[in-house]
């Protein structure tokens, strides 16, 4: 009999949070749970997406007595515009992140601080983008690749270069349907223009632009972000690490990196290993410098350095509430503006680093590539100096933590698959062993579980239930973002989680020596999932819409997630959502996002706030695809 795996249950996680909330009460701090109460019930117009404030004649709200705004826009136009604006904002966030990374690539030089770490990937990308490589210095190539990448944002003509990576069938469909993504900034601008007062009022047109804007993220900005990050900091490899609040150490400096931009966190992680600073900490009688991550930054540094992960989105306040966080430094996105005030209830220093995310009450140290290393050292030193200000009476670090095996970009997945076959055709191998396992029914399919956690539902519960049920049913999971962090906290990224799987998936895990949930990185790395799905479809010789592979965002909350969902659907995959998009006030919009897009791209949303219903829908959906393939 297999030995039982010991997961950290949601109840245990909630007990940890409840204990930390006691600390919050003692120091008179509020947490998101308090603010959920003061914000509930939410505004119904906002929830349904039928409040428009796109001009100063409004705001206009749609009711049965007032079915049109002052300009005449109806619920469909208003909900559609709001939805498209969310996609534009999400696309802008991911893509601007990628733009920053390209600037860092353009600033690389052999003496650092930023260098090229994955030369092979750079040369491959240069060839793909038509940059000359023969006999050229690697840094000359890097700078030219950066210039081509930067043009992807604003070039006046043509489509996203990475769209050529999609199967031919997709490219033709995108062109035919008029959703082939042009320059990223152009798609964002078009979305904003279309939603300006007095422009598009037709819901379908707004949804179509949403698909195109999403594609400029998934097969544009996000993919650029992922590729260039790999070139700069190395393509991730497999690491065994740990996750949850128990990774904070009582007798070490705890330095927390939070946000998304690895150009920042990589430097902090490197600086924390600097001998001079390690010795400085020791000279103060401190055992060590413990760098841990939060949110997507955690994913980035875990899969490149094995850095331990303190938790996901709704865990950010908990980290400070332990009283053991000496310094939290943040870059961009998903950072609660509540954090500086909370930090002030403790000794914690809170440092912002980007002009994109300035927060009142924070210490601002603006990061510049040329001085990045010195600035990172300054931050690490600040953390060390702050350690002695820690108030032991306020410290409580929950013990919960789990071992996790992380770092499965497509290259690693293929490498693992290659261990069970000699039939790989080229340097990069093929997905055939996985396809064979799906065809044989050993695996029923694969689900990409992504996204945030969200207090609209019981936080993390949906993730946990869906993940457990899917692996029990022989469905392989790939995960990114805060979903991957949830799996980490629960112990689902532990290789022993194979004991919670169905027989088929367990055999696959044993054969490949992998956990049943493969950690593919941060949210920008959902682009890796698109390449994975495209690779499976191509190696199988079927369309992307036909493979038993789907996406699922059980607890999504951000505008980035709306953009992502749109590029996944445009790629031809169904997306199962556990949180309702804010378009319910428009029957047309509800129809368009669930059925309408299916007619355009072959993919659509399936929505249920009940995780058990959602997982049943997923399993049924996979079986429908299997049956259509005759397997
Ligand atoms: O980009 S999963 S809460 S951290 S938005 Fe944010 Fe959501 Fe987490 Fe990463 Ni993605
Ligand atoms: Fe109202 Fe139309 Fe102005 Fe929106 S654009 S606020 S619906 S008048």
């Amino acid at each position: 009999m297999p030995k039982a795996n010991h997961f950290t249950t949601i109840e245990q996680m909630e007990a940890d949070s409840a204990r930390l909330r006691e600390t919050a009460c003692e120091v008179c701090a509020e947490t998101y749970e308090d603010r959920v109460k003061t914000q509930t019930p939410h505004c119904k117009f906002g929830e349904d997406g039928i409040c428009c404030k796109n001009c100063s004649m409004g705001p206009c709200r749609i009711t049965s007595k007032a079915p049109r705004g002052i300009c005449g826009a109806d619920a469909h136009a208003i909900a559609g515009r709001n939805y498209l604006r969310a996609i534009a904002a999400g696309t802008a966030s991911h893509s601007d992140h990628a733009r920053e990374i390209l600037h860092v690539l353009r600033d690389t030089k052999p003496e650092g601080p930023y260098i090229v770490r994955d030369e092979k990937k750079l040369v491959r990308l240069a060839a793909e983008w038509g940059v000359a490589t023969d006999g050229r210095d690697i840094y000359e190539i890097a700078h030219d690749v950066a210039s081509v990448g930067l043009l992807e944002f604003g070039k006046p003509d043509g489509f996203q270069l990475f769209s050529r990576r999609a199967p031919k069938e997709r490219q033709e469909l995108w062109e035919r349907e008029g959703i082939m993504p042009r320059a990223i900034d152009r798609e964002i601008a078009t979305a904003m223009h279309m939603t300006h007062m007095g422009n598009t009022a037709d819901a379908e047109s707004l949804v179509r632009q949403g698909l195109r804007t999403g594609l400029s993220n998934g097969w544009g900005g996000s993919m650029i972000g992922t590729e260039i990050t790999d070139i700069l900091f190395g393509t991730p490899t497999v690491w065994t690490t740990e996750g949850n609040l128990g990774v904070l150490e009582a007798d070490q400096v705890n330095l927390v990196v939070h946000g998304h931009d690895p150009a920042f966190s990589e430097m902090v992680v490197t600086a924390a290993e600097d001998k001079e600073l390690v010795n400085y900490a020791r000279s103060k009688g401190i055992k060590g410098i413990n760098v841990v991550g939060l949110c997507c930054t955690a994913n980035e540094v875990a899969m490149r350095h094995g850095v331990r992960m303190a938790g996901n989105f709704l865990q950010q306040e908990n980290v400070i509430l332990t009283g053991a966080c000496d310094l939290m430094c943040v870059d961009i996105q998903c950072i609660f503006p509540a954090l500086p005030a909370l930090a002030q209830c403790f000794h914690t220093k809170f440092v912002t680093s980007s002009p994109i995310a300035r927060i009142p009450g924070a210490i601002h140290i603006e990061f510049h590539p040329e001085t990045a290393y010195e600035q990172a050292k300054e931050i690490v030193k600040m953390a060390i100096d702050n350690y002695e200000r820690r108030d032991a009476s306020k410290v409580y670090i929950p013990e919960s933590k789990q071992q996790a095996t992380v770092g499965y970009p497509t290259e690693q997945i293929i490498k693992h698959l290659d261990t069970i076959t000699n039939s790989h055709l080229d340097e990069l191998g093929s997905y055939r062993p996985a396809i064979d396992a799906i065809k044989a029914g050993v695996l029923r399919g694969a689900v990409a579980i992504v996204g945030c956690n969200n207090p609209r539902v019981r936080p993390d519960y949906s993730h946990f239930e869906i993940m457990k049920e899917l692996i029990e049913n022989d469905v392989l999971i790939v995960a990114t973002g805060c979903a991957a962090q949830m799996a980490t906290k629960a112990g689902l990224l532990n290789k022993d989680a194979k004991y919670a799987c169905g027989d088929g998936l367990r055999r696959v895990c044993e054969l490949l020596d992998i956990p049943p949930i493969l950690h593919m990185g941060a949210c920008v790395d959902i682009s890796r999932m698109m390449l994975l799905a495209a690779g499976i479809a191509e190696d199988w010789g079927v369309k992307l819409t036909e493979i038993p592979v789907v996406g699922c965002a059980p607890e999504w909350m951000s505008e980035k997630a709306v953009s992502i969902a749109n590029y996944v659907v445009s790629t031809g995959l169904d997306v199962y959502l556990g949180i309702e998009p804010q378009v319910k006030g428009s029957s047309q919009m509800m129809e368009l996002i669930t059925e309408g897009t299916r007619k355009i791209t072959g993919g659509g949303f399936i929505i249920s706030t009940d995780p058990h219903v959602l997982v049943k829908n997923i399993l049924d959906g996979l079986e429908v695809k299997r049956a259509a393939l005759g397997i």
Side-chain angles (χ1 to χ4, degrees):
M1 280 294 286
K3 69 179 160 85
N5 185 64
H6 297 291
F7 293 131
T8 300
T9 62
I10 295 295
E11 287 72 19
Q12 279 168 266
M13 293 179 205
E14 288 172 344
D16 289 341
S17 293
R19 170 61 188 81
L20 291 169
R21 266 205 310 284
E22 286 173 22
T23 309
C25 283
E26 279 160 26
V27 301
C28 298
E30 61 166 34
T31 66
Y32 81 85
E33 287 102 326
D34 302 310
R35 296 187 294 272
V36 165
K37 283 187 197 129
T38 54
Q39 287 295 338
T40 309
H42 292 280
C43 166
K44 190 86 176 80
F45 296 102
E47 268 185 341
D48 290 353
I50 47 173
C51 171
C52 179
K53 51 185 182 58
N54 292 8
C55 88
S56 75
M57 292 192 286
C60 297
R61 300 172 304 174
I62 300 303
T63 65
S64 54
K65 284 196 189 125
R68 288 182 183 273
I70 291 168
C71 66
D74 62 12
H76 314 302
I78 292 174
R81 289 173 185 173
N82 289 336
Y83 180 73
L84 179 52
R85 283 199 166 199
I87 298 168
T91 302
S93 301
H94 269 154
S95 300
D96 213 30
H97 162 169
R99 188 186 338 241
E100 288 300 317
I101 294 284
L102 280 163
H103 280 290
V104 173
L105 183 68
R106 210 178 53 177
D107 288 344
T108 50
K109 40 187 186 301
E111 63 274 24
Y114 292 102
I115 59 168
V116 171
R117 285 225 162 73
D118 193 335
E119 292 189 9
K120 267 192 181 169
K121 197 167 242 188
L122 172 67
V123 170
R124 260 205 310 274
L125 182 59
E128 184 180 342
W129 280 359
V131 171
T133 55
D134 278 355
R136 294 186 74 199
D137 175 73
I138 202 76
Y139 285 89
E140 272 176 36
I141 300 170
H143 302 159
D144 284 357
V145 163
S147 298
V148 176
L150 286 164
L151 276 175
E152 288 300 279
F153 291 79
K155 61 187 181 186
D157 301 302
F159 300 115
Q160 284 301 296
L161 290 173
F162 278 150
S163 65
R164 296 188 204 140
R165 287 183 169 189
K168 266 262 154 323
E169 172 269 335
R170 277 295 105 178
Q171 294 182 43
E172 285 163 12
L173 181 140
W174 293 340
E175 288 220 42
R176 199 169 59 240
E177 296 293 342
I179 57 169
M180 182 64 108
R182 303 163 298 175
I184 301 159
D185 291 350
R186 178 151 188 210
E187 297 307 356
I188 296 164
T190 298
M192 296 307 285
H193 189 178
M194 284 174 76
T195 55
H196 186 275
M197 193 273 153
N199 284 328
T200 301
D202 170 50
E204 182 175 332
S205 304
L206 295 163
V207 166
R208 280 178 180 271
Q209 178 58 20
L211 296 173
R212 185 161 61 169
T213 310
L215 279 171
S216 77
N217 178 4
W219 295 84
S222 276
M223 204 170 277
I224 294 171
T226 294
E227 288 281 320
I228 305 301
T229 299
D230 285 356
I231 288 168
L232 282 168
F233 306 116
T235 300
T237 52
V238 177
W239 292 83
T240 298
T241 180
E242 289 179 325
N244 211 350
L245 293 167
V247 302
L248 294 164
E249 299 290 349
D251 53 3
Q252 292 189 37
V253 173
N254 289 311
L255 198 171
V256 182
V257 285
H258 175 17
H260 288 78
D261 184 349
F264 172 64
S265 46
E266 282 280 333
M267 280 296 149
V268 176
V269 170
T270 312
E273 288 164 358
D274 193 303
K275 274 222 170 68
E276 187 194 322
L277 287 163
V278 173
N279 289 338
Y280 180 62
R282 289 215 182 106
S283 73
K284 288 176 166 270
I286 306 168
K287 260 191 165 173
I289 307 164
N290 181 37
V291 179
V292 298
L294 261 175
C295 285
C296 280
T297 281
N299 294 316
E300 297 275 7
V301 289
M303 57 180 197
R304 291 199 181 84
H305 301 277
V307 168
R308 298 185 300 166
M309 301 176 272
N312 51 2
F313 179 60
L314 292 177
Q315 191 99 298
Q316 53 187 297
E317 289 175 315
N318 278 351
V319 168
I320 294 178
L321 285 169
T322 62
C325 172
D326 301 303
L327 189 146
M328 183 182 284
C329 52
V330 304
D331 46 79
I332 49 165
Q333 301 169 14
C334 303
I335 300 148
F336 275 10
L339 294 182
L342 184 62
Q344 276 157 23
C345 298
F346 297 86
H347 74 301
T348 308
K349 299 258 190 217
F350 185 83
V351 178
T352 52
S353 62
S354 167
I356 296 292
R358 295 287 310 253
I359 306 174
I363 303 162
H364 189 66
I365 301 177
E366 200 158 308
F367 230 51
H368 299 288
E370 52 300 350
T371 49
Y373 193 59
E374 283 67 40
Q375 290 178 301
K377 280 173 75 178
E378 183 189 345
I379 288 170
V380 176
K381 181 168 182 300
M382 197 188 287
I384 298 169
D385 288 337
N386 203 32
Y387 173 83
E388 59 202 20
R389 291 182 57 239
R390 207 187 274 180
D391 178 349
S393 71
K394 288 183 186 170
V395 173
Y396 172 77
I397 304 174
E399 283 175 10
S400 307
K401 65 177 173 187
Q402 286 276 0
Q403 198 181 74
T405 304
V406 302
Y408 292 95
T410 50
E411 291 88 343
Q412 282 298 325
I413 293 175
I414 285 183
K415 197 170 151 197
H416 278 73
L417 291 172
D418 274 352
T419 61
I420 57 163
T421 178
N422 297 319
S423 68
H424 60 277
L425 304 174
D426 54 37
E427 191 199 358
L428 284 177
S430 96
Y431 294 108
R432 291 217 179 102
I435 296 165
D436 289 344
I438 296 174
K439 280 184 181 166
V442 176
L443 296 178
R444 306 308 294 178
V447 179
I449 303 195
V450 303
C452 330
N453 52 2
N454 188 330
R456 269 189 176 270
V457 291
R458 187 178 172 189
D460 289 333
Y461 175 75
S462 300
H463 282 294
F464 205 172
E465 293 301 298
I466 291 170
M467 287 175 181
K468 270 191 310 187
E469 243 179 273
L470 287 177
I471 63 172
E472 266 166 34
N473 283 284
D474 294 322
V475 175
L476 180 75
I477 296 173
V478 289
T480 56
C482 289
Q485 299 268 346
M486 159 56 213
T488 305
K489 290 195 296 183
L492 285 155
L493 295 188
N494 188 317
K495 285 186 186 167
D496 273 355
K498 68 185 176 194
Y499 296 119
C501 300
D503 289 345
L505 179 55
R506 188 170 67 242
R507 279 211 304 282
V508 170
C509 290
E510 276 164 358
L511 207 57
L512 301 184
D513 190 29
I514 55 170
I517 301 181
L518 299 178
H519 177 288
M520 289 191 82
C523 287
V524 284
D525 295 327
I526 297 171
S527 60
R528 298 189 201 272
M529 293 173 163
M530 296 304 94
L531 294 174
L532 174 67
I536 290 173
E538 287 198 309
D539 286 351
W540 195 321
V542 298
K543 288 184 191 167
L544 259 161
T545 45
E546 293 176 301
I547 56 172
V549 174
V550 299
C552 176
E555 301 185 29
W556 69 274
M557 63 85 203
S558 71
E559 290 168 318
K560 286 181 288 176
V562 190
S563 172
I564 293 165
N566 271 274
Y567 72 68
V568 177
V569 159
S570 302
T571 301
L573 307 178
D574 282 330
V575 178
Y576 293 76
L577 299 176
I579 303 281
E580 292 164 324
Q582 292 170 335
V583 299
K584 264 191 311 178
S586 159
S587 55
Q588 281 182 21
M589 279 302 294
M590 285 304 286
E591 201 278 333
L592 278 161
I593 61 172
T594 52
E595 292 307 322
T597 58
R598 207 176 294 284
K599 289 175 204 140
I600 304 168
T601 70
F605 295 160
I606 296 96
I607 307 162
S608 173
T609 52
D610 180 334
H612 299 107
V613 172
L614 203 61
V615 81
K616 185 176 179 314
N617 291 339
I618 294 172
L619 291 168
D620 290 349
L622 292 176
E623 292 306 320
V624 167
K625 299 231 171 192
R626 293 183 64 87
L629 283 164
I631 55 173

